Amino acid sequence: MGSPESPAVRDIADSAADQSLIDGVLSRNRRALAKTITLLESTRADHRERAHAVLDALLPHTGKSIRLGISGVPGVGKSTFIEVLGLHLIERGHRLAVLAVDPSSSISGGSILGDKTRMEQLSVRDEAFIRPSPSSGSLGGVADKTREALLVCEAAGFDVIIVETVGVGQSETAVAGMTDIFCLLQLPNAGDDLQAIKKGIVELADLVVFNKADLDPHAADLAASQMRSAMTLLRPHSAHWTPPVLKLSAIKREGIEAFWQVIESYHAAMSASGEFEAKRRHQALAWMWDLIDFGLHERFRNHPGVRGLLPELAAAVEAGGITPAVAAHRLLGLMNRNF
Ligand code: GDP
């Protein structure tokens, strides 16, 4: 018999705890869902192992949702829109989870998306689950945890998953890479359009929505038609889908059903053409490669030989004493040796 702290006893306790998380998630228990996401957000190595085991067990129960990415600058009305859309979907019998990828959390430890009290009406509904962005690590790390949380929410029976972000391009790319349809929320003024086009965010969009159309309907029409013509210059994502440009007013709850109809027609068109599944397969592979890239990078930086030689070679590259290519070659060569 081991002591209460012995690894064997802990293993048994952990696997019992993990099984109760798995059972809890599958029976749609919110506490188990939140605890599972907390476990997978942990950076402790033993927690990572347990998180992988739990995710593996949940995987067969995932994949049956519409994954909707929503992005837009602060103040565009994301939380207002998501709340109104969420309440509308609940009325139609859906259950939705709202996740977030907040790039500010990885840079400053602060949060653009999470600090204020958001979506008060939605957050009290049993049919909704709202989880703020993971708050530590690189953007890649934050996105990775969100992808995993998305799978857990699917296993818990949520059939619409919204992943929200705000950022400068990179977080949008990450969210577009984990969702089926990526929607850009815009303000009806030209400055906002130009920013989004310049940052390459419009290129990612399967759908562009002008919010706050109530403020100046004429300006919203104009912005929408300008956006439509700008988008004709972009390379199409798909032979079966031309990204529409819509306008709505989240605050007045106008255009919400029309928005959802577009999501449903996207889902129907992409499923019929086989692109829906193909996109998910592609995203899964891209995720694996992201993790491999990340893992290799970590191993490289933690390799004792590399740690020993890196400062010297980096200084030599900076001083122009050695070419970057030679330095990289020597450092990478160290990876083949065991220390
Ligand atoms: P977020 O930062 O993108 O999440 O934006 P919020 O949802 O917090 O909205 C920012 C402000 O815009 C709030 O004061 C909202 O009440 C307001 N707002 C949101 N949607 C609309 C809309 O459709 N019309 C108008 N006039 N105001 C809106």
Side-chain angles (χ1 to χ4, degrees):
M1 283 283 283
S3 72
E5 281 86 30
S6 80
V9 171
R10 222 170 30 229
D11 277 357
I12 295 168
D14 283 349
S15 59
D18 294 351
Q19 191 56 50
S20 85
L21 287 182
I22 295 163
D23 295 341
V25 167
L26 293 177
S27 60
R28 304 185 170 187
N29 176 306
R30 301 172 70 86
R31 211 171 123 70
L33 174 60
K35 278 174 83 173
T36 303
I37 296 177
T38 302
L39 177 68
L40 57 87
E41 285 177 355
S42 166
T43 48
R44 263 177 52 181
D46 57 328
H47 285 176
R48 278 314 297 154
E49 241 174 72
R50 290 178 52 200
H52 284 154
V54 171
L55 275 174
D56 261 355
L58 294 176
L59 199 64
H61 306 275
T62 65
K64 294 184 206 82
S65 77
I66 292 187
R67 303 168 181 172
L68 169 62
I70 292 186
S71 143
V73 297
V76 69
K78 290 181 298 302
S79 44
T80 311
F81 174 59
I82 293 169
E83 173 153 83
V84 166
L85 175 68
L87 294 169
H88 181 77
L89 291 175
I90 288 171
E91 261 168 44
R92 291 184 51 143
H94 293 282
R95 299 178 74 234
L96 90 157
V98 182
L99 307 174
V101 173
D102 187 342
S104 60
S105 59
S106 62
I107 299 165
S108 64
S111 162
I112 302 174
L113 291 172
D115 282 350
K116 46 192 168 144
T117 310
R118 308 173 88 231
M119 304 178 221
E120 281 173 348
Q121 293 178 54
L122 195 59
S123 60
V124 297
R125 297 296 298 255
D126 277 346
E127 304 89 336
F129 177 78
I130 301 175
R131 179 90 183 182
S133 178
S135 59
S136 63
S138 61
L139 172 61
V142 169
D144 198 38
K145 307 288 183 203
T146 306
R147 277 186 186 117
E148 292 180 346
L150 184 153
L151 295 176
V152 179
C153 288
E154 285 183 343
F158 291 96
D159 66 335
V160 178
I161 318 276
I162 293 179
V163 186
E164 178 193 12
T165 193
V166 52
V168 287
Q170 278 171 315
S171 66
E172 278 82 358
T173 307
V175 171
M178 69 177 85
T179 50
D180 303 317
I181 177 161
F182 183 70
C183 169
L184 174 62
L185 222 56
Q186 288 279 102
L187 290 168
N189 67 60
D192 199 32
D193 288 9
L194 277 178
Q195 283 301 313
I197 291 169
K198 265 204 319 227
K199 289 176 187 158
I201 299 166
V202 173
E203 276 173 65
L204 297 170
D206 300 300
L207 170 62
V208 175
V209 173
F210 284 92
N211 187 33
K212 306 198 186 184
D214 56 287
L215 290 178
D216 183 346
H218 178 66
D221 281 336
L222 194 66
S225 72
Q226 280 172 350
M227 179 58 85
R228 272 185 210 106
S229 52
M231 289 176 80
T232 56
L233 304 174
L234 302 175
R235 198 161 42 91
H237 297 193
S238 152
H240 304 95
W241 185 255
T242 306
V245 179
L246 308 179
K247 46 177 198 133
L248 55 80
S249 165
I251 216 154
K252 295 203 157 173
R253 304 189 174 208
E254 286 167 6
I256 308 300
E257 175 56 23
F259 171 88
W260 189 247
Q261 300 267 323
V262 169
I263 303 296
E264 288 193 333
S265 35
Y266 176 86
H267 186 250
M270 299 303 265
S271 300
S273 68
E275 270 185 72
F276 190 82
E277 281 308 315
K279 186 172 180 176
R280 284 196 173 178
R281 283 198 300 272
H282 174 82
Q283 288 176 337
L285 260 189
W287 184 7
M288 181 189 82
W289 279 112
D290 271 0
L291 292 173
I292 291 174
D293 285 348
F294 180 75
L296 285 174
H297 204 258
E298 287 279 286
R299 267 202 223 170
F300 176 76
R301 287 200 167 265
N302 292 329
H303 189 278
V306 172
R307 286 166 74 142
L309 200 57
L310 188 64
E312 187 189 317
L313 287 188
V317 168
E318 271 188 323
I322 180 174
T323 69
V326 168
H329 185 73
R330 274 186 64 190
L331 288 165
L332 287 169
L334 295 171
M335 296 283 286
N336 300 330
R337 293 200 226 147
N338 289 323
F339 282 79

